[in-house]
Amino acid sequence: MGIAPRNRVRVTGTLRDSSGLLILVPGDPAAVVVHGNGPAVRPRLLAAGAVGENSEGQLVRVIATITRAPTPDLPYGTKFVVDDGSGELTIFVNTRTGIDLTGLTAGRAVSVTGFSSQFDTHYEIDPRFPADVTACPSRKGMS
């Protein structure tokens, strides 16, 4: 389809529930039309525990510590859990993003940017690109 971030598009379709997330399913994918570019969308910095119904559908960013290391959620991707002291949050990394999670272990601080989403009964962040998941420098010795 050739759609990239910042593209403005016109889509006609049907709203559907996808495991708790409201999605738009195009009636005819070939009829999705790009209408130029829009402004850059900056992620909203949130506490992990604040990701929920009110942030769903937004581009968000959390900085937190991994509490559960990445585990396969095949065939769809990999998931891990972070917490910044405000509550645990699942991060779901789709296999198609090409995001390398090597070196991300429990106890490591990370910055995660992505789509605030819902799957079944829990909220999560779904990163889009490799730059959306970055390890933070160690905070040892800092007060």
Side-chain angles (χ1 to χ4, degrees), residues 17-21 51-53 56 90 117-124:
D17 180 277
S18 175
S19 300
L21 180 67
V51 174
E53 194 67 33
E56 197 169 322
T90 298
S117 186
Q118 180 177 353
F119 180 76
D120 199 21
T121 60
H122 73 272
Y123 295 97
E124 62 188 28

Side-chain angles (χ1 to χ4, degrees), residues 8-25:
R8 289 180 181 241
V9 297
R10 175 161 301 188
V11 181
T12 302
T14 305
L15 289 174
R16 295 218 175 110
D17 180 277
S18 175
S19 300
L21 180 67
L22 188 61
I23 63 170
L24 177 63
V25 179

Side-chain angles (χ1 to χ4, degrees), residues 54-139:
N54 290 333
S55 66
E56 197 169 322
Q58 296 178 13
L59 184 64
V60 299
R61 178 177 178 222
V62 298
I63 300 170
T65 301
I66 297 172
T67 57
R68 282 186 260 162
T71 58
D73 189 16
L74 299 175
Y76 310 104
T78 302
K79 60 185 175 181
F80 62 98
V81 177
V82 300
D83 192 343
D84 60 4
S86 67
E88 287 194 322
L89 174 66
T90 298
I91 308 300
F92 175 75
V93 180
N94 190 293
T95 55
R96 291 178 282 167
T97 63
I99 296 172
D100 181 7
L101 302 176
T102 303
L104 296 187
T105 57
R108 184 74 196 237
V110 291
S111 171
V112 179
T113 299
F115 180 66
S116 175
S117 186
Q118 180 177 353
F119 180 76
D120 199 21
T121 60
H122 73 272
Y123 295 97
E124 62 188 28
I125 293 180
D126 301 340
R128 309 150 302 155
F129 311 109
D132 284 346
V133 178
T134 57
C136 296
S138 173
R139 297 180 187 191

